[in-house]
Amino acid sequence: MAQQSLELPVLGRSTLAALTIRDVVLIERLALSFRAGLCVLTGETGAGKSILLDALGLALGARGDSSLVRHGAEQASVTAEFELSGDHPAFAILREQGLDADDRLVVRRTVSADGRSRAWVNDQAVGVGLLKRLGEELVEVHGQFETHGLLNPATHRSVLDAYAQLDGKAAHVAALHRAWRQVEDARANAAAEIARARSEEEYLRHAVAELDSLTPKPGEEEQLAETRAVLMHREKVVEAMNSAYAELSGDRGVERSLASALRILTRIAEKAGGKLDPAISALDRAAAEAAEAVAALQAASADVDMDPAALEKLEERLFALRAASRKHGVAVDALAALRDELSGRLSMIEDQGDLLARLARDAETAREAYRKAAEDLSRARQKAAGLLDKAVATELPPLKLDKAKFRTLVEPLDEADWGSAGMDRVAFQVATNPGSPPGALNKIASGGELARFMLALKVVLAQTSTVGTLVFDEVDTGIGGAVAAAVGQRLERLGHGLQVLVVTHSPQVAARGSTHLKVQKAVKGQSVTTGVAALDGDERREEIARMLSGATVTAEARAAADSLIAGRG
């Protein structure tokens, strides 16, 4: 089939804008554009309406295998394009993955004939799991396909909070829970540290006493090592200093010779006409330097202890420091800091009663603040649950679910299960027959009945979800007349705020659509392909009339179709 493009404007904060399908089962090549509101998909049984949903599911991370690849093709390919508002949750997922994002999100999936699958987001290769995460934020499918959202009990608490506008209270509870857990963690860490310190208390006392007696000081090792090196060669050093001193200050020393030369020249300086002044200045400086050298030698000589016991004492100190360093596995210069650390741990043991008591008081204060806020949130949830139950109850009878009863269960959790979302478990339950116990939503009847039940919930909760596109697959199964009309009315209401795609066999539902797409088969050579046509005006009336009368379209059927179309809200 030649590629088709249905140019329809896209509206809404989060909508499926376009769907391009190639070589999926009976679809050779198909390009569809969508807009917000209610879009109905009709066609005879077996025309391939379910293939469209399979294709959309493939783009959104559903399981794909080679059976989806059109016979004779190398691979199936589906591309879905969405328009999003700037605050849509999908952007957070994209940022988390380091992916580029703007107000257009394009997801693409291929499945080859040998079953291999690949995925892309905005032309960047990704894992199929990411498509599924994004899909759960963009589209909900209700009917004969796998569903998420409201059928997942884990979402019910947040859905109830959104319905009752309790997000502020819930955020406050979450913040108080974090504060409580932080104090409890500090308390647990302190208790563990104290227990660890207590188990090594004897070692700590011995180590601190040992280091106290040693009184190590930073930089001491280097100083001792330098002094030791001098003392180890003290005889040679002293001998050299004495010889140098004799050369400088003896009877024939430099110091005496310089002084004598300076006196001689000074006496004759006036008669030399200033020519001796530089020599006199140089000798004067040399004499001063020599005197300074003599003084330095005297000082150094005084610092060199000739007592052999001094070296022994110094080495004893140096070796003791190095032994402690090896024992504790730290550098000599770090022994002082180690002593302070061990002393602090020892002090913790001695002060443990006060510390743990204070942390226990802080934890109890934080727990009480959390408990009060969580109880307030629980009361608000209980009140909201009653309102939600009443709202859903009004939607059930027109949908031929008058015997069903919806209940929002809000029950307390054990303290061990309290968390950032509060101290409640919230679950949506339903009893489908009088006298039968209520059960989980995902345990009720499947097919059309389940889809209608989800429709009732969605009508009530229309403004609580960030998912902008809802898909209902044959929500009208097994119904007709007034019930089908009620389904159509509710789908149309949903379409006022969301994008709703409905696969339907009901003319009452089809007449409510703001967009009408017909899925049909066509023979091309020796093969059969599925295509989609956008209907309007007479074509739409003719399709609804066909749905009313069957193979032979009568004038009465056309008149009835006109009446249904005219009855749109």
Side-chain angles (χ1 to χ4, degrees):
M1 174 175 286
Q3 180 167 327
Q4 303 178 49
S5 180
L6 312 180
E7 295 298 328
L8 302 173
V10 180
L11 305 173
R13 60 181 179 82
S14 172
T15 58
L16 172 64
L19 184 66
T20 302
I21 307 170
R22 294 187 179 184
D23 296 323
V24 175
V25 193
L26 297 179
I27 297 176
E28 182 178 355
R29 184 168 296 186
L30 189 63
L32 303 175
S33 296
F34 298 90
R35 66 180 182 183
L38 175 59
C39 174
V40 297
L41 291 89
T42 65
E44 295 182 359
T45 300
K49 298 183 294 297
S50 63
I51 300 176
L52 294 178
L53 299 189
D54 285 340
L56 178 59
L58 188 67
L60 298 176
R63 184 177 178 274
D65 55 48
S66 59
S67 65
L68 292 173
V69 182
R70 187 175 63 86
H71 179 69
E74 294 183 358
Q75 71 174 18
S77 173
V78 184
T79 302
E81 183 175 344
F82 294 86
E83 286 194 348
L84 309 176
S85 63
D87 57 349
H88 197 278
F91 287 112
I93 297 175
L94 294 175
R95 286 192 296 269
E96 172 191 314
Q97 298 296 320
L99 297 175
D100 298 333
D102 51 29
D103 58 356
R104 284 248 165 183
L105 174 64
V106 180
V107 295
R108 181 162 62 97
R109 179 91 174 275
T110 63
V111 177
S112 61
D114 60 7
R116 289 180 298 175
S117 173
R118 298 183 65 189
W120 293 264
V121 172
N122 290 347
D123 290 327
Q124 298 171 84
V126 299
V128 174
L130 179 59
L131 292 191
K132 188 171 183 179
R133 286 184 62 193
L134 289 169
E136 290 175 353
E137 297 292 345
L138 298 169
V139 178
E140 279 190 24
V141 182
H142 300 286
Q144 56 184 298
F145 297 93
E146 181 183 358
T147 58
H148 52 272
L150 290 177
L151 287 188
N152 180 1
T155 68
H156 295 175
R157 187 164 48 198
S158 60
V159 168
L160 180 62
D161 288 349
Y163 172 75
Q165 298 182 350
L166 298 177
D167 292 340
K169 287 180 179 290
H172 180 55
V173 167
L176 291 175
H177 183 264
R178 284 194 300 272
W180 177 27
R181 293 319 313 166
Q182 286 172 357
V183 177
E184 287 289 5
D185 289 344
R187 180 184 179 187
N189 290 338
E193 184 64 26
I194 288 170
R196 190 160 49 247
R198 186 180 293 122
S199 69
E200 56 183 3
E201 181 176 2
E202 183 178 350
Y203 159 74
L204 290 174
R205 293 192 182 281
H206 174 76
V208 170
E210 181 182 59
L211 292 173
D212 279 344
S213 65
L214 197 58
T215 60
K217 300 177 182 63
E220 186 178 6
E221 181 187 23
E222 182 179 359
Q223 180 183 355
L224 290 173
E226 291 176 353
T227 304
R228 175 174 178 258
V230 173
L231 291 179
M232 289 178 66
H233 303 91
R234 62 187 182 280
E235 293 182 359
K236 292 182 179 180
V237 171
V238 169
E239 181 180 351
M241 288 192 298
N242 289 338
S243 296
Y245 182 79
E247 292 293 333
L248 288 172
S249 300
D251 291 342
R252 298 178 59 186
V254 171
E255 189 176 17
R256 182 179 293 273
S257 297
L258 288 172
S260 177
L262 187 58
R263 285 195 302 273
I264 294 170
L265 292 178
T266 301
R267 294 192 199 105
I268 200 68
E270 292 181 359
K271 297 179 181 180
K275 293 185 179 294
L276 295 178
D277 290 349
I280 292 172
S281 296
L283 288 171
D284 190 38
R285 291 195 302 272
E289 292 290 340
E292 185 176 340
V294 170
L297 284 172
Q298 290 174 337
S301 179
D303 286 341
V304 178
D305 191 346
M306 295 300 294
D307 184 2
L311 175 59
E312 182 179 346
K313 183 176 180 182
L314 183 146
E315 289 184 332
E316 181 181 340
R317 172 70 177 172
L318 180 60
F319 296 160
L321 288 171
R322 289 177 173 174
S325 167
R326 291 191 298 273
K327 178 178 179 179
H328 295 289
V330 299
V332 172
D333 282 350
L335 287 173
L338 175 65
R339 185 267 170 208
D340 293 341
E341 178 191 342
L342 298 180
S343 181
R345 288 161 63 181
L346 195 57
S347 297
M348 183 182 292
I349 298 174
E350 298 166 350
D351 299 338
Q352 60 182 306
D354 292 342
L355 174 63
L356 290 181
R358 177 176 61 78
L359 289 174
R361 290 192 299 271
D362 291 347
E364 182 57 30
T365 299
R367 176 190 177 281
E368 186 63 13
Y370 165 80
R371 184 189 63 78
K372 288 181 178 180
E375 286 181 348
D376 180 55
L377 178 60
S378 296
R379 288 190 291 269
R381 284 171 173 164
Q382 291 283 0
K383 182 178 178 180
L387 297 175
L388 177 60
D389 293 351
K390 291 179 181 179
V392 174
T394 63
E395 298 291 335
L396 298 180
L399 298 176
K400 202 177 178 180
L401 294 170
D402 49 300
K403 294 182 180 180
K405 184 176 181 181
F406 177 81
R407 181 178 77 167
T408 304
L409 178 67
V410 181
E411 60 180 6
L413 296 169
D414 294 335
E415 182 168 346
D417 297 321
W418 291 359
S420 58
M423 51 176 60
D424 313 302
R425 183 177 75 89
V426 177
F428 297 153
Q429 297 184 331
V430 62
T432 54
N433 296 299
S436 62
L441 277 176
N442 53 4
K443 301 298 183 182
I444 67 173
S446 59
E449 184 181 30
L450 174 59
R452 293 199 308 278
F453 207 102
M454 300 309 294
L455 173 60
L457 277 174
K458 277 298 179 183
V459 168
V460 175
L461 300 171
Q463 303 305 316
T464 67
S465 176
T466 58
V467 174
T469 301
L470 304 180
V471 178
F472 289 90
D473 182 23
E474 300 187 358
V475 66
D476 48 19
T477 299
I479 61 171
V483 177
V487 169
Q489 290 170 357
R490 281 152 180 79
L491 289 169
E492 185 179 14
R493 281 165 54 193
L494 275 178
H496 291 161
L498 299 168
Q499 182 184 52
V500 183
L501 277 61
V502 181
V503 174
T504 181
H505 290 288
S506 168
Q508 291 92 337
V509 173
R512 293 279 175 175
S514 58
T515 303
H516 191 149
L517 304 179
K518 181 180 180 180
V519 183
Q520 53 195 359
K521 286 184 178 179
V523 178
K524 184 179 179 181
Q526 299 297 316
S527 62
V528 177
T529 60
T530 291
V532 177
L535 305 183
D536 206 353
D538 290 344
E539 291 179 330
R540 186 179 186 202
R541 181 185 67 167
E542 200 69 10
E543 172 65 4
I544 293 176
R546 179 197 64 78
M547 297 171 72
L548 284 165
S549 63
T552 303
V553 179
T554 64
E556 291 80 3
R558 293 188 177 95
D562 286 335
S563 177
L564 288 176
I565 294 171
R568 284 187 64 236

